[in-house]
Amino acid sequence: MADAKVIPFDDDRSRGSAVQRPPRRRSAGSRRKGDPTVVREVQHLPGRTIQQDDVPVTREEPGAPVKPEPEEQSGGSGWDRRIAGGLAFLRRRLTGEYEVDDFGYDQDLTDQVLMSMLRPFYEKYFRVEVKGIENIPSDGGALIVANHSGTLPLDGLMMQVAVHDNHPAGRHLRLLAADLVFMLPVVNELARKAGHTLACAEDAERLLQRGELVGVMPEGFKGVGKPFSDRYKLQRFGRGGFVSTALRQGTPIIPCSIVGAEEIYPMIGNAKTLARLLGFPYFPITPTFPWLGPLGAVPLPTKWTIQFGEPILTDGYPPEAAEDPMLMFNLTDQVREQIQHTLYKLLVQRRSVFF
């Protein structure tokens, strides 16, 4: 929003247009005791030539915008921008001036609402520290492969905020999610709006062809629902389907290691019978849930670190390499080992779970 033009009430020149008064000259030496040290503009006598070494003028010329004070810059103008952005967002929603792609991704809603809802958890609650963001390319398709943990999949959401808020190009991460996510009534709509799609090779290839940044967590439910005793021990990475997808598109694979998510819901048990009745892959039992009811669903405020490793390039392989099972196995094992090694390194460097 453009800065408003402010006309000071004590501006003699603004009053001079209504009443003509003889010009007055006040020198620096005539300042009374207790007056501010800032010297006001000197009104020069008729016929006097202005010298370069005269007292500097501290007031802007008529019609020029007045530079706001630091308080206005940090407070008022910031809130003005937020209010203006909110009103512009409401106008776009009411008039339909926003785009939704064929996956259901609504970038305007994600930037203005969903990211704003996740950002307090990212910045204040989990205090996420990001490393290696320069390993993510500024444009073009890339596949980010990360470990999965935490009982509830909050790590994927925090990784999405980390990429958007820290990458110089402000890139958006499109996550591949399990089919259970798209079976839940409210979660389904929010996931689609945030750019998530089904974890299948067809959707991943379409996104990579468009030059999107795609995120996948190959451990799946085996990783997010593993017991607390197995924390930071990577589970099996499936059959290496993500490697085959990257080879077909010739896009780099970027390993990502997330530390801190394992402790937000320490899973000490699994009510398998209840999980089968509800259609869930597991039903977690933690030190606080279900004993404390809804309060037990509040995650612990652990300190997170997300590190993006050096990319593993795939554009040097021939097209038929995607059908080579040994190559896929070797690349899958390379990605897994790099993530596991980085996890151990970050755990050694970590001072505390919460600080």
Side-chain angles (χ1 to χ4, degrees), residues 165-201:
D165 287 4
N166 291 275
H167 197 277
R171 301 202 65 180
H172 291 268
L173 180 63
R174 310 290 294 271
L175 291 173
L176 303 180
D179 51 359
L180 177 62
V181 173
F182 303 102
M183 295 170 60
L184 302 175
V186 178
V187 177
N188 172 31
E189 294 295 327
L190 291 177
R192 289 291 184 186
K193 296 292 185 182
H196 306 169
T197 188
L198 191 63
C200 62

Side-chain angles (χ1 to χ4, degrees), residues 48-102:
R48 182 182 172 214
T49 303
I50 301 176
Q51 301 295 330
Q52 295 296 327
D53 57 350
D54 282 339
V55 179
V57 177
T58 60
R59 185 177 298 162
E60 301 291 340
E61 293 298 325
V66 178
K67 184 178 180 181
E69 296 295 329
E71 295 79 8
E72 296 176 352
Q73 292 179 346
S74 60
S77 61
W79 280 107
D80 288 346
R81 286 193 297 268
R82 292 183 183 182
I83 294 174
L87 293 176
F89 170 75
L90 291 176
R91 180 185 61 79
R92 291 193 299 270
R93 307 312 291 189
L94 293 174
T95 58
E97 297 178 2
Y98 60 93
E99 296 182 359
V100 178
D101 68 7
D102 50 352

Side-chain angles (χ1 to χ4, degrees), residues 7 44 46 80 82 131 141 160 164 167 180 191 204 229 243 296 334 338-339 351:
I7 300 178
H44 301 285
D80 288 346
R82 292 183 183 182
K131 299 180 179 180
Q160 189 177 12
H164 180 268
H167 197 277
L180 177 62
S229 58
V243 173
Q334 180 181 352
Q338 187 169 336
I339 295 175
R351 296 180 302 169

Side-chain angles (χ1 to χ4, degrees), residues 120-134:
F121 292 94
Y122 173 87
E123 295 179 348
K124 305 298 183 182
Y125 200 78
F126 296 128
R127 294 146 291 144
V128 181
E129 179 183 359
V130 178
K131 299 180 179 180
I133 195 69
E134 67 277 1

Side-chain angles (χ1 to χ4, degrees), residues 17-342:
S17 59
V19 179
Q20 296 294 332
R21 295 186 179 182
R24 295 181 299 173
R25 181 173 181 268
R26 184 179 180 183
S27 63
S30 62
R31 180 172 56 85
R32 292 174 297 179
K33 183 178 181 180
D35 284 350
T37 57
V38 178
V39 179
R40 299 184 179 274
E41 180 184 5
V42 178
Q43 298 289 343
H44 301 285
L45 293 175
R48 182 182 172 214
T49 303
I50 301 176
Q51 301 295 330
Q52 295 296 327
D53 57 350
D54 282 339
V55 179
V57 177
T58 60
R59 185 177 298 162
E60 301 291 340
E61 293 298 325
V66 178
K67 184 178 180 181
E69 296 295 329
E71 295 79 8
E72 296 176 352
Q73 292 179 346
S74 60
S77 61
W79 280 107
D80 288 346
R81 286 193 297 268
R82 292 183 183 182
I83 294 174
L87 293 176
F89 170 75
L90 291 176
R91 180 185 61 79
R92 291 193 299 270
R93 307 312 291 189
L94 293 174
T95 58
E97 297 178 2
Y98 60 93
E99 296 182 359
V100 178
D101 68 7
D102 50 352
F103 289 94
Y105 174 47
D106 189 338
Q107 181 175 338
D108 189 37
L109 181 68
T110 300
D111 288 342
Q112 299 295 329
V113 178
L114 301 182
M115 284 292 175
S116 299
M117 294 172 61
L118 293 173
R119 198 164 284 119
F121 292 94
Y122 173 87
E123 295 179 348
K124 305 298 183 182
Y125 200 78
F126 296 128
R127 294 146 291 144
V128 181
E129 179 183 359
V130 178
K131 299 180 179 180
I133 195 69
E134 67 277 1
N135 291 319
I136 299 177
S138 299
D139 52 18
L143 187 65
I144 296 180
V145 182
N147 59 304
H148 207 11
S149 62
T151 305
L152 290 181
L154 298 181
D155 49 359
L157 300 177
M158 294 300 104
M159 184 171 63
Q160 189 177 12
V161 180
V163 172
H164 180 268
D165 287 4
N166 291 275
H167 197 277
R171 301 202 65 180
H172 291 268
L173 180 63
R174 310 290 294 271
L175 291 173
L176 303 180
D179 51 359
L180 177 62
V181 173
F182 303 102
M183 295 170 60
L184 302 175
V186 178
V187 177
N188 172 31
E189 294 295 327
L190 291 177
R192 289 291 184 186
K193 296 292 185 182
H196 306 169
T197 188
L198 191 63
C200 62
E202 292 78 10
D203 286 1
E205 288 185 12
R206 289 172 58 194
L207 289 172
L208 291 174
Q209 286 175 356
R210 298 180 180 183
E212 298 283 356
L213 196 62
V214 180
V216 62
M217 295 175 166
E219 292 178 280
F221 291 121
K222 300 187 301 294
V224 72
K226 64 176 175 285
F228 187 66
S229 58
D230 292 337
R231 60 191 180 276
Y232 298 115
K233 297 178 182 178
L234 292 183
Q235 305 300 301
R236 185 171 175 268
F237 267 23
R239 300 178 181 178
F242 68 92
V243 173
S244 177
T245 301
L247 286 171
R248 287 192 183 94
Q249 301 302 319
T251 54
I253 300 174
I254 303 172
C256 176
S257 302
I258 303 175
V259 167
E262 294 274 15
E263 295 89 359
I264 59 174
Y265 295 110
M267 186 171 167
I268 58 177
N270 180 14
K272 296 182 180 179
T273 302
L274 185 57
R276 283 195 298 268
L277 292 175
L278 296 176
F280 295 160
Y282 57 89
F283 190 87
I285 298 176
T286 72
T288 59
F289 183 82
W291 326 113
L292 299 182
L295 187 61
V298 178
L300 297 179
T302 58
K303 176 73 170 62
W304 288 34
T305 301
I306 300 178
Q307 179 163 338
F308 300 97
E310 295 184 1
I312 299 173
L313 303 180
T314 62
D315 54 356
Y317 294 95
E320 61 271 14
E323 308 301 330
D324 186 349
M326 287 303 299
L327 177 60
M328 286 194 298
F329 174 81
N330 291 334
L331 287 178
T332 302
D333 191 60
Q334 180 181 352
V335 174
R336 186 179 181 277
E337 288 300 321
Q338 187 169 336
I339 295 175
Q340 185 70 82
H341 177 74
T342 304

